[in-house]
Structures are given as structure tokens and as C-alpha cells.
Amino acid sequence: MSAITTIIFDMFNTIAQDGPDLWRQSFVRIIEEQRLDTDPESLRHAWDYGSNNFRERRIDPHGPFISYLDGWADAFARAFADLNLKGDPQDASQKSIEDLGTRPIFPDAPEALSILGQRRRLAVLSNADDAYLHPVVARIPADFAAVASSEGGQCYKPDARLFQMVLRQLDAEPAECVYVGDKQFEDVKGARSAGMSVVWINRKAEPLNPDLPAPDAEIRTLLELPDVLDRLT
């Protein structure tokens, strides 16, 4: 295997935290600011239907590109209609985007990135709108050679075109890069399709899906990554 010169990271649930508890805070904010007669759990349940539909649309390589801002606005519109609420779906989606930009960084990330950045180039490739990806990147104490997004590439992981885009930005060959992400479908499958090595950060110890490509290595925290990369090189 060629020497690994570059590490490309997914962002959310890899470097920055995301999850139901953080999203619940956004739903509370939306309900309070729009004075909606509902509760966070009911709104989330109704929103999930449209959000899951948006996920299916965005991973369709033949469909038109839809940003998270627009896709989530559609999900809120459906949720408000289902709950008979007179809410503003565009504003609700915008508030969600703003909140995503404030997501906290995992405690292991700064130290791991500092160690890794001494020997290799670092980059970011995330399924995200720039409006919330870049504010998170700006708070990370690391020097990234490239920061690429689905919005910039007008397609979503696992589409190989997105990985090829960041390779062009880095002027790098797939064999010298390793991708680190938390999802077997979007991250492992996508990076594999572009010819990269892949490390799956599996913080919750989820089982591998045998129907999807397997990673080259699996870790629980980013602090395990330096030793893993030495073995992969």
C-alpha cells in the first residue's frame, strides 16, 4: 500500500457531535419562536417522515440536487400540515441550519487532529450545506488543506463524484488518502468507490452490515487513528 499522506474526515458524528438530543433543542427553539401548539417529540416524529423521504431523494444519483436547507424546509412543511400547524417551514429549516453550525466538537478531536496534522495533510468532506459546515470548521483547532461539501459538489455521499472532487482539490491520488467517517453506507461505500482506504469511526459499537463494503479498520475514538494509520501504511 502507498504511503498515506492525506486524511480526509467526515464532519458530523466524526469530528463534531450530532444526534437526537441536539436536534431536540432545535425543535424546542422552533416551537417557542413560532409559538406552535405542539411538543418537540410530536414535531420530530412528524418531521422524520419528510426527512427520511429527503434522504432517499438525495442518495438517488439520477435525481436533482436538493440542499439540506430546501430538503428540511419541505420536511417541516409536511410536518406542519400533518399536525395542522401554521408554522413557517423555511424559517424552521433556517433555524436548524443555524443550530447545526454550533454543534460541539468531540473531546477527542482536538488532540487527535493535532497529532495527525504533524505528519499528514488534513481535509474535510461532508454531506452538508456550507452555511453550517464552515462555522463548525472555523471552531476546530486544525489546519485543513481542503473543506468540501455536498453543496459544493452538488451531490451526496456515497456518490463517487464527491470524493473525486475533494481529491482534485487536494491534487492527490486515492491511494495516498484515507477517509474517516461514521457511516458504513455514505462513508465506507463512497470512499471505496473512489479507490480510497477507509477507517470507520464506530463510536456506538454498531454491527457491520454484511451487505455493504467493510472498512480497512474500525475505531471507537479519533485518538486510535494514528496507530491505525501506521499499520495501514
Side-chain angles (χ1 to χ4, degrees), residues 11-12 65 68 126-133 148-152 156:
M11 178 54 67
F12 296 95
F65 178 80
Y68 279 99
S126 178
N127 273 356
D129 286 4
D130 290 339
Y132 65 86
L133 175 61
S149 69
S150 53
E151 184 179 22
Y156 288 95

Side-chain angles (χ1 to χ4, degrees), residues 97-168:
I97 295 289
E98 293 172 4
D99 288 350
L100 276 160
T102 68
R103 290 292 194 260
I105 309 306
F106 279 110
D108 59 328
E111 181 181 353
L113 293 171
S114 176
I115 295 169
L116 294 163
Q118 295 174 21
R119 297 176 54 190
R120 297 176 171 94
R121 289 192 302 173
L122 309 179
V124 168
L125 172 61
S126 178
N127 273 356
D129 286 4
D130 290 339
Y132 65 86
L133 175 61
H134 286 282
V136 175
V137 170
R139 290 187 285 108
I140 299 171
D143 182 17
F144 294 109
V147 176
S149 69
S150 53
E151 184 179 22
Q154 294 290 286
C155 61
Y156 288 95
K157 297 181 295 184
D159 194 318
R161 293 175 296 173
L162 201 57
F163 294 87
Q164 292 161 355
M165 178 188 74
V166 74
L167 287 171
R168 289 194 298 271

Side-chain angles (χ1 to χ4, degrees), residues 152-200:
Q154 294 290 286
C155 61
Y156 288 95
K157 297 181 295 184
D159 194 318
R161 293 175 296 173
L162 201 57
F163 294 87
Q164 292 161 355
M165 178 188 74
V166 74
L167 287 171
R168 289 194 298 271
Q169 292 179 6
L170 292 164
D171 192 22
E173 295 296 325
E176 66 181 287
C177 299
V178 64
Y179 190 78
V180 182
D182 70 298
K183 293 184 174 63
Q184 196 180 352
F185 177 72
E186 286 90 341
D187 299 322
V188 178
K189 180 180 179 181
R192 276 266 185 269
S193 70
M196 295 185 201
S197 298
V198 194
V199 175
W200 183 30

Side-chain angles (χ1 to χ4, degrees), residues 12 18 23 27 44 47-48 50-52 54-55 57-58 66-80 88-100 103 127-129 132 156:
F12 296 95
D18 195 21
W23 271 96
F27 287 112
R44 177 63 191 254
W47 180 83
D48 276 344
S51 177
N52 290 336
F54 170 48
R55 182 181 185 279
R57 293 163 65 194
R58 69 176 181 259
I66 305 168
S67 69
Y68 279 99
L69 178 65
D70 292 339
W72 286 336
D74 289 345
F76 277 113
R78 173 64 183 263
F80 291 158
D88 182 338
Q90 198 68 32
D91 179 74
S93 184
Q94 182 61 46
K95 292 296 189 300
S96 301
I97 295 289
E98 293 172 4
D99 288 350
L100 276 160
R103 290 292 194 260
N127 273 356
D129 286 4
Y132 65 86
Y156 288 95

